[in-house]
Amino acid sequence: KLGLLATGLSSHPRSPHLLHLQGKALRMAGRGREATAAFRAALSQEPPADLLTRTCADLARQADVPLAEKAALLHRAVAAGAD
C-alpha cells in the first residue's frame, strides 16, 4: 500500500485523501511518527468535512500527540458536523 500511495502522492502531493490514507498505512506498518506527520499534512490541506472528521479522529489516536491536542482534535471533528 505504501508504494501505491507514494506513486499517487508523487502526482498529487497535496491530496488530503491520499495523505490520510498514507497516515493509516504508516500507522499499520508501525511507523507512528511518520503517520502523525501524514495526518497533519492531510489536515493542512483543508479537507472536506467528512475527511476532516476522520483525519482528526485518526490523529487523536496517535500515541505521540499530546492529550490537550487530542481533545482539541476531537472537538474539531465534532464541530465539522460531518456524518
Side-chain angles (χ1 to χ4, degrees):
K1 287 184 180 181
L2 286 170
L4 287 173
L5 289 165
T7 299
L9 284 165
S10 69
S11 299
H12 306 283
R14 294 175 14 185
S15 167
H17 291 89
L18 292 176
L19 289 163
H20 176 250
L21 290 173
Q22 182 185 45
K24 291 177 71 164
L26 286 164
R27 181 174 57 213
M28 289 179 64
R31 296 164 59 182
R33 289 184 188 211
E34 291 171 90
T36 296
F39 291 137
R40 290 187 192 285
L43 288 175
S44 75
Q45 299 306 311
E46 300 181 22
D50 62 329
L51 182 59
L52 181 131
T53 299
R54 290 192 308 272
T55 306
C56 283
D58 283 333
L59 181 55
R61 290 178 56 199
Q62 292 298 105
D64 59 339
V65 174
L67 186 58
E69 185 180 357
K70 290 175 188 270
L73 285 163
L74 294 176
H75 285 288
R76 184 176 174 191
V78 170
D83 293 336

